[in-house]
Amino acid sequence: QVQLVESGGGSVQAGGSLRLSCAVSADTSTTYYTGWFRQAPGNKREGVVVMDPRGSTIYEESVKGRFTLSKDNAENILYLQMNRLAPEDTAMYYCAAGDMGPPFAILGRAYLDPSLVDYWGQGTQVTVSS
């Protein structure tokens, strides 16, 4: 079982920054990948970035170079630093976790597919105004 609690959403002007946090409580007997997904009104949920247990990451193309996923292993907290935010980044952001299957080197960007996720947080809203 995995429990995920997000915080840090809010409103910001275009070009600004926000940092999202996700406290992860997990059964250590199972290995998980973790990450962030988002869903804008009228759109499908999409993967933003995922991290495997080794710390390797896969980013969605539109956020590369702007967003950074990191993890405090001592506190088991995921951080998503979002810089140079744009109005198209406006969405509900969800922390997520899933059972780790084949390594990132094999499945790669497939891990950005929301259908593979097993656990979801409650979501935190990010709004970027122009």
Side-chain angles (χ1 to χ4, degrees):
Q1 286 292 327
V2 179
Q3 293 182 323
L4 307 162
V5 179
E6 304 104 328
S7 60
S11 298
V12 66
Q13 289 191 325
S17 299
L18 282 173
R19 189 176 78 160
L20 307 183
S21 301
C22 175
V24 181
S25 298
D27 176 358
T28 57
S29 66
T30 304
T31 56
Y32 301 97
Y33 69 95
T34 52
W36 290 90
F37 292 69
R38 65 186 179 185
Q39 187 168 16
N43 289 359
K44 293 181 179 179
R45 195 167 296 189
E46 64 175 2
V48 177
V49 57
V50 291
M51 176 184 285
D52 73 5
R54 292 186 173 185
S56 296
T57 53
I58 299 174
Y59 288 87
E60 192 270 327
E61 288 296 321
S62 71
V63 307
K64 278 184 178 179
R66 300 188 300 123
F67 290 11
T68 303
L69 180 64
S70 61
K71 186 176 181 183
D72 181 331
N73 287 311
E75 299 291 332
N76 220 11
I77 298 176
L78 279 178
Y79 296 104
L80 182 63
Q81 179 66 43
M82 303 185 294
N83 298 327
R84 304 202 314 270
L85 282 160
E88 51 266 36
D89 295 315
T90 294
M92 185 71 79
Y93 282 71
Y94 297 89
C95 186
D99 292 344
M100 191 69 203
F104 275 14
I106 293 178
L107 272 192
R109 297 181 57 79
Y111 277 105
L112 290 173
D113 185 345
S115 68
L116 297 183
V117 172
D118 297 299
Y119 304 98
W120 295 98
Q122 81 281 2
T124 186
Q125 178 68 37
V126 171
T127 302
V128 185
S129 58
S130 57

